[in-house]
Each structure stands twice: as C-alpha cells, then as structure tokens.
Amino acid sequence: MSGHDSKYFTTTKKGEIHELKEELNSQYKDKKKDAVKKVIAAMTVGKDVSMLFTDVVNCMQTENLELKKLVYLYLINYAKSQPDLAILAVNTFVKDSQDPNPLIRALAVRTMGCIRVDKITEYLCDPLQRCLKDEDPYVRKTAAICVAKLYDINAELVEDRGFLETLKDLISDSNPMVVANAIAALAEIQESSSNLIFEITNHTLFKLLTALNECTEWGQVFILDALSKYKAKDARDAENIVERVTPRLQHANCAVVLSAVKVILQQMELITSTDVVRNLCKKMAPPLVTLISAEPEIQYVVLRNINLIVQRRPSILAHEIKVFFCKYNDPIYVKMEKLEIMIKLASDRNIDQVLLLEFKEYATEVDVDFVRKAVRAIGRCAIKLERAAERCISVLLELIKLKVNYVVQEAIIVIKDIFRRYPNMYESIIATLCENLDTLDEPEAKASMIWIIGEYAERIDNADELLESFLESFPEETAQVQLQLLTAAVKLFLKKPTEGPQQMIQVVLNNATQETDNPDLRDRAYIYWRLLSTDPEAAKDVVLAEKPTINDDSNMLDPSLLDELLANIATLASVYHKPPDAFVSRVRPSTTRNEEDEEYENGQDAGPGDSSAPIPETTTTAAPTASTPSSTASARPSSQPGPLPPVAPVADLLGDLIGLDNALVPVSQPATPAPSGPPLPVLLPASAGQGLQISGMLVRRDGQIFYSLQFDNNTQTPLENFMIQFNKNTFGLAAAGPLQVPMLQPGGVANTLLPMVLFQNVAPGPPSALLQVAVKNNQQPVWYFNDKIQLQALFVEDGRMERTTFLETWKGLPDSHEVSKELPNAVINNVDQTIEKLASTNLFFIARRLLKDTNQEVLYLSGKVPPSIPFLVELTAVIGFPNVKCAVKTPSLEMAPLFFEAIEAILK
C-alpha cells in the first residue's frame, strides 16, 4: 500500500462487513480495489474478516497487479483456516503462473509456496516446474526459493518430482541472482535433511566464483557461505579461491565482509606459503578495522567475531591494537568486548607504552563493572607476559593506593593469581595488601586475601591475628571463604606450630565439622583433622605441596570448538560463542517467511537464546461440562508422565503483516500455574478479543524476567496453538522460549510464565515504557494490545552499593545528571517496611537521616538496570503522608522518567 492508504486504518465504523461484501462485488474496479484495501487494513489490525473469503477470492480475476498482490496477501493469511475454500483459487494461480507478465508469474508461484495447505501442494508442482525453467530470471529466482518452501511442507514430493536436480541445474544459470537463490534454497534444504543434498564440485565452484562478482549483497553472502564449506584440493586451489574472494573485503555490507573473512580463514589452513599468508593477514586488517567504527550493535557483532579470529591468527590485528581503545560513549557491552580483545593482543612490545596506561585509565571510570574488568585485565596481562609482570604489579599497587573499595578488592583477587603464576617473586607487596584487610566485603576478595595469608604465613609476623579477624564471622561467611579459612588455618599451624595457631585450628575444625551443613567444608575438615592427628608430616606433604603454575586464560576456547565457531563466522554462533547445535534445533517448525521480500533475509533461522531453558509444568482450570464429571477435576498422580503429542506448527503470519522482527514461537508445552498475589491487569478485555480476555504483567523471579499471563476463554469454542510476539521496545524484550498454553476449553482459564530475554529487538529513540504485544491462536485473528514495562521487573540483583561506593558514585556524577520529581501517589507509612519492600524489588537501602526542622525522613537507595546502568535514589517524605519527593542520579539521564514511574508504583 502507498503512503496515502493510511486512511483505511482509521475507520471507526462498526458492522461494516456487509458494506465491504457489497463493495467487493461491485462492478467498478476502483471501488473493488478500495474494498480489498479496507479488508487488508482490517485484517492487519486484528479484525476477523475471514467471512469475506469467497468475495475476496473472486477479485483475483483482474489484470491490476496491485489488487492481485492484496488478494494474494489475504489468501496467505486465511488459507490455513479455510483450506477447502482456498482450493477455489488454484485455477487462478495456475493461470497466473502462465501470464505474459513475469511479475505476475513470479507472484503466483511465490504465493502458492506460502499457502501451507497440503491440498494445494499437489497443484503447485506443475506451475513450479514451468517457472524453474522460465525465460525470465526474476521468475526463476523466485521459483528457486519456492522449492525450499515446498521441501519444508513435503520433502518426498520435491525429491520424487526432480526439483532438487532442477535446482542444482540453476547453479549454472546465466543470471547471478538465480544462482544465488538456488544456493540459498539448497543450503536451506540441506539444513533440514540428514542426507547429502548438495556438494560443491570443481565445475560448480567456477560458476559460484563467477556469479559472486555480479549478484546483490545478500546473494554474495549465500554464495560465500557455500564456499566456506568447500574443501580445496590443495594449496594452489585454496589460493585461487582466496584471490577471487578477497575483493569482497572492500564491500560496504558488513555481512559480506565477515563472510569473505570466513572463507579466507578456512582456505588459509591449506596455504603453505608464509608470504601469501602474511599478505592475506595484512589485507584482512583494514576492513575489520573499518567495521569497528560502525554503530554499536554492528560493532558488538564484529568484535565477537574478531575475538575468535585473533585466537587463531593474532597477527591480523597485532598492529591495530589502538582501534580497540574504549571511547567514553561506547556502550558497556562494546567496552567489555574491546577489553577482551586487547588482552588477547597484548605483547611485550605494546604492554608498557600502550596497554597499561590505557587499562589504568579505565580503572578510574564510573562504571563499576567496567572498572573491575579493567583491573582484572591488568592481572591477566601480568600472568600472560612474564617480562611485564613487575610493571603490571606496580600499576595495581598504584590503584590500591586510591582506596576505592571495589578497585582494591579486584586488585587483591588478581594479585593472588599473580602469586600463583610467579611464586616467591613479588611477596614484598603483601604488607600493602594487609593494610586494606578491613575494607574487604566481597567473598572472592576475602578468599583471595585469606589464601595469600595462609600461603605466606611464615613471612607474615601477625598472620594468626589476621586470620582471627576473619574467624569472628566464620558462620556467616560464604562457603568459598570458609573453605579458604580452613585451609589457611591448617597451613598456618603446619608452618608455625605454636600455641596461637594450635588454638585457632581447634576452633576452625570444630566450626567446620559441627556448626555447618556444607558437606564439602565438613568433609575437608575431617580429612585435615585425621591427617593432623595421625601424621603431621603427611599433612605437610598434602597441604604444603608445590602447586602447579597457572597459565594465561585469555585463549579460553577449546581448539575443536574454536574450529567450529570459525566455520560459523558471521552467524549467531560466532556471537554467542556456542556451536549452532547448542541453541538451534535442527527440526524446525514450519513458518512462512515475509513474502514481500524477494530473497531470503540473512539470519532468519536463529532464535533469541539458548534452547535448553527449563520448561515449567502446567495446570489449567476449566468449567465443568456435561461430558466431564466433577470427580475427574482433581489431579491424579502419575508414575511416569507420557510424551506430549506433537502440535501442528502455525505460519508466521504476524511477522508478515506488521513487520516485527522476532519470530513467532509456536506452542509446544503446557502452561504454568499463576502465582498467588494480586490479580493481573487486563490487557485485552473480552469485549475486544471476541470473548478472549488476556491479563498480564512483567515480573521478576530468581533473577529472571517473566511475562506473567492469564488467558480467559469466554467463547463457545476451544482455543489452541497460542503464539506471541513483541514489537521493538526500549529494552529489546523478547520471548526466550515458547508460549506454553494448552488447549483452552470454553470457560477455561490458563496461566503461564513466559521467560523473557533482553536486547533482542531494541527500538531506537528515547526510552519508553511502551510494550506492544501481538497474540494469536488458530481459531481467532491476531490480537494487538499495549502493555507498560514495569521497570522494577528489570532491577537487577547486583545493584547494592557500599556507602563509600554510593558517595563516590554520587559525587562522581555531574549535577546535571540529577533529576527530582514529586510522586503524588507514593506514601511511606513505615520506614522499615518500606525499606524491606524496596529491597524485594532490588532497590537497596544505603542510609537514612531525619530532617528535624521539617520532620521529614530521607532515604538513600541504589539500584541497577540492564545493561549495567546504576541509579542512585533519594526519597524525602513525611511519614504517613502522600507526595514523596524523589531525586534520581544516574549516568543515563533519559531513563529518569521510567525510574520515577517504577518507584511510585512500588510505594503506592
């Protein structure tokens, strides 16, 4: 539809079906075309216009291409629910596939491939056979894609009718786009088949390399992906392929560049000439550097791929380390990836003059997570580069002297690793570390410091006093700290068997064996006790044995996994750093692709996250019926739950209609019982949903975001095969798994918790709490409704700050980043209860004070939202009176309105 057709979406008329029916049967072409546009508009916004199926199909007999496209779009939507009536359109499809206009021929065969109805499939074969050999390349390339869609519906039919052989013949086509689409279709078919469908030979290799220079960018991606799977015969063959692929490195599309890099890296394994390999490394560096200057999302994808590349061939970017320096406005996820790559590229040549100064600068930033990562990076460089270890330790000591709590603790953690890597070399700094003993409050930092004290007890005069300071809180410590305390006390006793350590070891062993429920701690304590009481010399051999030297962990991936990921560069596998099988099921449900696209879009098959997420169990409640005695309503225990029956997949009509990016998730499992609590707000009332009522809101459970939903079926028919989709939103919220709602009987209610993931589909522009949702089932049209993102569901668990950290962060943020607002609906009746209530939403109490002149309580709190955005809160209120004054200070100032809404909702 053109931009002038928006008027069709603004109608507020009711009972217009009869009028549309008359207009569809009008003898005037313009009136008929307007009526079809109105039908499509109604269908797009979720109205059920399936009763007009016959009238719309009658409009297919037209020469007007625009009208024909609209009718075909309607058919794709409703053919699944009206399969018998869809047969009426077959004759027109067959006729259109022989139309003189190639656009109409292509449109007909594309639409037939998208109508996923078995009864129509058999009628598709003859037109498809003709179109695969059509004289027009546009028709041939469309038909090539249609073969892949037909294979998804009926694989045996495709093989029996010889479509695969015809598809392979198209690789020799004179038109490069036909070649590219044939390769795309064969690759799609190969993914869903256990047999070898397609393999590149010397003859097809030449054809692909020829077509590579002439087809569109996505065609080039398909061809390059196919070439990456080709095994060259020898070094000369590999060099020829690389020579033809190298010009693609200069392409403007980052997908083409990364696919070209993938092919070159694969072929370089066979090239024996060091000069050729060196020149190729030099050629790959500039395009990768160029991609790093793109927008943040592309930067992140490129950096994740570079992370893999430099593990195999660090020489490619060894001289370009400065391009990975973090900019002040880089998002945190980009900064973290850049740090990882800089560690991998660190060498004796660049560590002193370049990297250490950069890391030291990062360690004074505002973002706590980034600072921790920077400090840890200095330690990892020290472990990796022996010559630079002393300089790295000097920088760490300078950072410790800043007395910033989290910097000190992170430095102690990495220094412990440095001591392990270089024993008996840098122990002179232990005294400096011991000065900061009182500031340690994180388990890992405490455990590291205790390990240092125990390991070097003979060099620390007051080692027993230092350990005793930790023993006072032994029962409250985490298991990690308790285990280290136990071992350190034993080491101290073995090295200094004096009266003080003897008493200490007795106390520790008693606590570890009698006052704890941790089996690991208890078992270790019993082993130590037995060793010390029977053979102290054997205890020395065990506890004080020489420890293996730790190594650099910056190349963490297993070589076989790295090989697999390098073969999947420019795919989701290279971003997740997981093999495809870990998050993509090879047996995929049938879904209809966006039919307005002329070629496959890149990356349609990948899901938003790991497919191994736990699936909750289900309970549903339904009204008793005559055929369902009340005695059967009670649940009966079963010794072994039977396998769930397979659920028919549903076409991705929603994505086709409104252009949302995340794929629809079909139902495959039952629903989860709703938690007890206040009723969920109604999002789609029954009056607007033709009897279906949907209630829901975002909630947080055990560190995971869920969409708590309730479905009420007030219709007279069962509803099943529910699917859900989310439009682009500020936080990129999307479904992390299938929407689990079983068949919903009339009068029934089903509750479910849908796991959610973040930053899958981020909307540009200023932050907004709007969440646009679309839900459909097999018996009803698509329902659209708006929800409001409850920001408190996004508050993360690690938002707690120490008082000193809170003060430093508050002072470190400029005054321009502080915003205040009156919250008229908020009230604080009891301070302690309010603090507890806020803490339950991950908004953590820091301090409070009383303004005596105004009798107002002031509370200071801290929190954090993804991606690691801290926010500091000051609440001022008169106890028992509404209208709380809220001040928020945060690096992300545009998020302040959302913080105010969330805090007011909590304090209502």
Side-chain angles (χ1 to χ4, degrees):
M1 293 188 181
S2 67
H4 301 293
D5 292 334
S6 59
K7 61 185 178 183
Y8 298 111
F9 291 85
T10 59
T11 177
T12 57
K13 291 170 62 178
K14 295 182 180 179
E16 57 185 335
I17 296 297
H18 180 70
E19 292 180 21
L20 287 173
K21 196 177 187 75
E22 288 183 355
E23 292 177 18
L24 287 169
N25 292 294
S26 172
Q27 58 181 335
Y28 301 107
K29 293 182 180 180
D30 290 342
K31 199 169 185 180
K32 187 180 292 189
K33 188 163 115 178
D34 276 358
V36 174
K37 286 184 177 182
K38 290 177 184 176
V39 171
I40 297 298
M43 179 182 77
T44 304
V45 298
K47 293 181 181 177
D48 184 10
V49 286
S50 57
M51 65 287 294
L52 297 172
F53 194 93
T54 308
D55 304 285
V56 175
V57 169
N58 289 336
C59 297
M60 287 177 69
Q61 306 293 339
T62 177
E63 298 298 321
N64 187 300
L65 184 59
E66 183 185 9
L67 179 56
K68 196 175 284 285
K69 280 185 176 181
L70 292 171
V71 175
Y72 280 1
L73 181 61
Y74 178 91
L75 277 171
I76 292 169
N77 197 1
Y78 284 115
K80 187 77 177 178
S81 59
Q82 307 271 0
D84 296 328
L85 292 176
I87 297 293
L88 300 174
V90 166
N91 287 335
T92 306
F93 283 133
V94 175
K95 179 184 173 185
D96 283 351
S97 68
Q98 299 173 318
D99 193 274
N101 187 339
L103 292 177
I104 292 180
R105 297 202 298 275
L107 182 64
V109 75
R110 178 191 294 132
T111 308
M112 288 183 79
C114 295
I115 298 178
R116 311 182 72 80
V117 177
D118 290 336
K119 294 180 180 179
I120 289 183
T121 305
E122 57 192 83
Y123 297 101
L124 173 62
C125 294
D126 291 335
L128 181 57
Q129 197 83 56
R130 283 194 302 270
C131 290
L132 283 168
K133 299 178 180 178
D134 197 278
E135 60 182 17
D136 192 285
Y138 179 76
V139 180
R140 294 199 300 275
K141 78 180 184 68
T142 305
I145 297 298
C146 193
V147 173
K149 295 183 178 181
L150 182 59
Y151 188 90
D152 203 25
I153 301 171
N154 192 332
E156 289 183 10
L157 182 64
V158 171
E159 292 173 4
D160 293 344
R161 293 295 294 261
F163 286 126
L164 293 179
E165 296 306 317
T166 309
L167 207 53
K168 292 174 186 176
D169 292 341
L170 288 181
I171 296 175
S172 303
D173 197 277
S174 58
N175 186 283
M177 273 316 302
V178 177
V179 176
N181 277 23
I183 288 292
L186 285 167
E188 182 80 8
I189 291 169
Q190 183 65 73
E191 280 190 16
S192 56
S193 173
S194 56
N195 302 321
L196 181 62
I197 301 294
F198 171 63
E199 189 173 21
I200 298 178
T201 62
N202 287 337
H203 175 69
T204 53
L205 175 65
F206 176 77
K207 295 288 185 182
L208 294 182
L209 291 172
T210 303
L212 185 61
N213 295 324
E214 301 174 31
C215 58
T216 64
E217 51 193 18
W218 292 116
Q220 292 178 35
V221 171
F222 296 136
I223 293 175
L224 288 168
D225 285 346
L227 289 173
S228 69
K229 296 177 176 64
Y230 174 70
K231 304 296 182 185
K233 294 181 299 181
D234 50 36
R236 186 176 178 182
D237 191 22
E239 287 181 31
N240 289 335
I241 294 171
V242 168
E243 185 179 352
R244 301 286 291 274
V245 170
T246 303
R248 300 301 102 208
L249 293 173
Q250 311 304 321
H251 204 283
N253 188 311
C254 58
V256 176
V257 174
L258 287 175
S259 296
V261 168
K262 173 168 61 178
V263 175
I264 294 171
L265 286 173
Q266 294 294 316
Q267 302 303 329
M268 279 171 70
E269 298 297 322
L270 295 171
I271 298 175
T272 54
S273 170
T274 54
D275 290 338
V276 173
V277 170
R278 191 184 307 113
N279 288 333
L280 286 173
C281 289
K282 286 181 181 178
K283 288 180 180 177
M284 280 193 282
L288 290 173
V289 169
T290 302
L291 292 180
I292 297 171
S293 61
E295 50 265 34
E297 294 79 10
I298 292 178
Q299 273 190 62
Y300 179 73
V301 172
V302 173
L303 289 168
R304 292 292 281 178
N305 281 273
I306 288 176
N307 195 321
L308 299 173
I309 293 167
V310 297
Q311 290 185 49
R312 177 55 51 85
R313 296 195 180 270
S315 58
I316 294 175
L317 291 162
H319 300 288
E320 306 289 346
I321 196 163
K322 288 190 177 181
V323 304
F324 298 105
F325 285 1
C326 300
K327 300 173 184 175
Y328 75 96
N329 58 347
D330 278 342
I332 185 64
Y333 54 88
V334 170
K335 288 181 177 179
M336 294 295 197
E337 279 307 310
K338 285 183 175 180
L339 267 180
E340 277 295 327
I341 294 169
M342 282 190 278
I343 296 168
K344 289 180 171 64
L345 294 177
S347 64
D348 291 326
R349 185 175 51 81
N350 60 30
I351 184 69
D352 194 26
Q353 300 298 324
V354 182
L355 280 185
L356 274 182
L357 294 175
E358 195 70 14
F359 289 162
K360 184 179 177 183
E361 185 69 26
Y362 298 158
T364 59
E365 293 272 347
V366 175
D367 191 293
V368 176
D369 292 335
F370 183 53
V371 170
R372 290 178 184 274
K373 187 88 170 179
V375 175
R376 195 156 290 202
I378 297 171
R380 286 173 63 182
C381 287
I383 294 168
K384 179 181 179 181
L385 307 168
E386 185 172 353
R387 292 182 184 177
E390 189 171 348
R391 297 194 293 278
C392 292
I393 287 177
S394 298
V395 172
L396 289 171
L397 289 176
E398 290 176 29
L399 293 174
I400 289 174
K401 289 175 184 176
L402 296 176
K403 300 293 184 183
V404 178
N405 185 260
Y406 52 86
V407 173
V408 171
Q409 300 197 86
E410 201 67 34
I412 288 173
I413 292 168
V414 298
I415 287 173
K416 182 261 293 183
D417 292 334
I418 294 172
F419 284 170
R420 283 287 309 276
R421 177 73 174 85
Y422 308 108
N424 303 315
M425 286 183 66
Y426 302 109
E427 287 74 19
S428 58
I429 68 171
I430 292 176
T432 306
L433 302 182
C434 292
E435 292 172 6
N436 297 278
L437 215 58
D438 296 336
T439 64
L440 304 182
D441 55 18
E442 294 176 9
E444 191 176 1
K446 284 184 179 180
S448 299
M449 192 67 226
I450 293 167
W451 182 90
I452 293 171
I453 295 170
E455 189 69 14
Y456 299 100
E458 73 279 9
R459 304 187 188 187
I460 303 173
D461 295 335
N462 61 337
D464 51 345
E465 294 176 12
L466 297 178
L467 285 181
E468 280 179 3
S469 66
F470 290 105
L471 283 176
E472 295 170 3
S473 57
F474 184 89
E476 290 80 35
E477 298 290 357
T478 62
Q480 180 184 14
V481 176
Q482 289 175 335
L483 286 166
Q484 282 296 350
L485 265 173
L486 173 62
T487 304
V490 174
K491 286 179 182 177
L492 177 63
F493 173 71
L494 292 172
K495 291 179 178 182
K496 293 182 178 181
T498 56
E499 184 178 350
Q502 283 181 0
Q503 293 176 350
M504 182 189 301
I505 192 67
Q506 191 64 46
V507 172
V508 173
L509 289 173
N510 281 332
N511 280 335
T513 54
Q514 299 174 18
E515 304 295 330
T516 181
D517 295 326
N518 186 324
D520 293 336
L521 178 64
R522 191 170 57 241
D523 291 351
R524 186 184 294 190
Y526 278 127
I527 290 170
Y528 284 156
W529 204 328
R530 182 64 59 87
L531 276 171
L532 292 171
S533 59
T534 57
D535 191 349
E537 290 303 315
K540 282 187 179 181
D541 293 339
V542 172
V543 180
L544 303 181
E546 188 174 340
K547 296 165 186 61
T549 305
I550 63 172
N551 297 313
D552 169 40
D553 67 342
S554 58
N555 294 330
M556 294 171 288
L557 293 179
D558 182 80
S560 59
L561 175 59
L562 182 60
D563 288 338
E564 186 174 1
L565 295 179
L566 286 171
N568 285 283
I569 281 179
T571 68
L572 271 179
S574 65
V575 178
Y576 290 157
H577 286 188
K578 292 181 181 180
D581 292 338
F583 59 91
V584 176
S585 173
R586 289 298 177 192
V587 183
R588 297 187 308 280
S590 301
T591 56
T592 302
R593 306 290 179 102
N594 189 334
E595 302 314 321
E596 292 303 309
D597 296 337
E598 295 183 358
E599 288 83 32
Y600 278 1
E601 293 190 9
N602 193 31
Q604 290 286 318
D605 293 336
D610 198 326
S611 62
S612 60
I615 299 173
E617 298 178 354
T618 290
T619 60
T620 58
T621 57
T625 61
S627 61
T628 308
S630 59
S631 60
T632 65
S634 59
R636 293 177 179 166
S638 172
S639 60
Q640 181 74 27
L644 290 168
V647 182
V650 184
D652 184 4
L653 303 176
L654 201 56
D656 284 338
L657 294 180
I658 64 175
L660 300 183
D661 291 338
N662 36 313
L664 272 174
V665 187
V667 176
S668 60
Q669 298 290 339
T672 300
S676 57
L680 298 172
V682 176
L683 305 174
L684 178 74
S687 57
Q690 294 181 3
L692 173 66
Q693 178 172 296
I694 302 175
S695 310
M697 68 182 296
L698 287 170
V699 296
R700 190 176 190 88
R701 303 261 172 88
D702 300 323
Q704 167 75 36
I705 304 169
F706 293 93
Y707 203 17
S708 180
L709 291 164
Q710 178 174 306
F711 296 84
D712 295 72
N713 184 6
N714 299 308
T715 70
Q716 300 304 311
T717 57
L719 303 177
E720 61 177 336
N721 285 358
F722 282 83
M723 293 184 290
I724 192 166
Q725 192 164 341
F726 299 87
N727 203 350
K728 291 182 178 181
N729 55 82
T730 293
F731 296 95
L733 280 163
L739 177 59
Q740 301 157 11
V741 183
M743 180 181 289
L744 196 55
Q745 297 296 337
V749 179
N751 297 284
T752 185
L753 283 177
L754 175 67
M756 303 289 285
V757 290
L758 292 165
F759 306 115
Q760 295 292 317
N761 203 9
V762 180
S768 167
L770 179 65
L771 183 64
Q772 295 177 314
V773 190
V775 172
K776 83 177 295 293
N777 56 69
N778 265 10
Q779 288 72 32
Q780 291 185 317
V782 183
W783 299 119
Y784 303 87
F785 53 84
N786 291 339
D787 194 4
K788 200 168 190 178
I789 297 174
Q790 304 289 331
L791 196 64
Q792 55 267 39
L794 273 58
F795 291 175
V796 295
E797 284 68 20
D798 63 344
R800 188 190 299 275
M801 291 184 182
E802 294 301 314
R803 290 194 183 191
T804 53
T805 308
F806 183 91
L807 271 173
E808 289 164 5
T809 308
W810 188 283
K811 292 175 182 176
L813 290 170
D815 292 340
S816 58
H817 280 250
E818 182 179 349
V819 187
S820 298
K821 184 183 178 183
E822 301 281 348
L823 307 181
N825 298 318
V827 62
I828 297 177
N829 291 314
N830 181 291
V831 174
D832 293 333
Q833 290 177 4
T834 299
I835 290 172
E836 188 177 339
K837 185 178 182 181
L838 291 166
S840 68
T841 65
N842 294 332
L843 198 53
F844 300 104
F845 171 72
I846 304 295
R848 62 186 281 194
R849 62 192 177 97
L850 178 65
L851 302 178
K852 293 183 179 180
D853 53 339
T854 58
N855 199 29
Q856 290 178 308
E857 284 278 357
V858 183
L859 302 182
Y860 296 93
L861 308 113
S862 71
K864 188 187 288 186
V865 293
S868 294
I869 299 175
F871 63 98
L872 316 180
V873 180
E874 180 189 70
L875 296 178
T876 307
V878 177
I879 302 303
F881 290 87
N883 203 22
V884 175
K885 183 183 178 184
C886 179
V888 170
K889 205 165 189 180
T890 175
S892 182
L893 193 60
E894 62 274 13
M895 291 283 293
L898 302 186
F899 292 136
F900 290 137
E901 287 183 16
I903 293 167
E904 187 168 26
I906 297 169
L907 296 177
K908 272 187 178 178

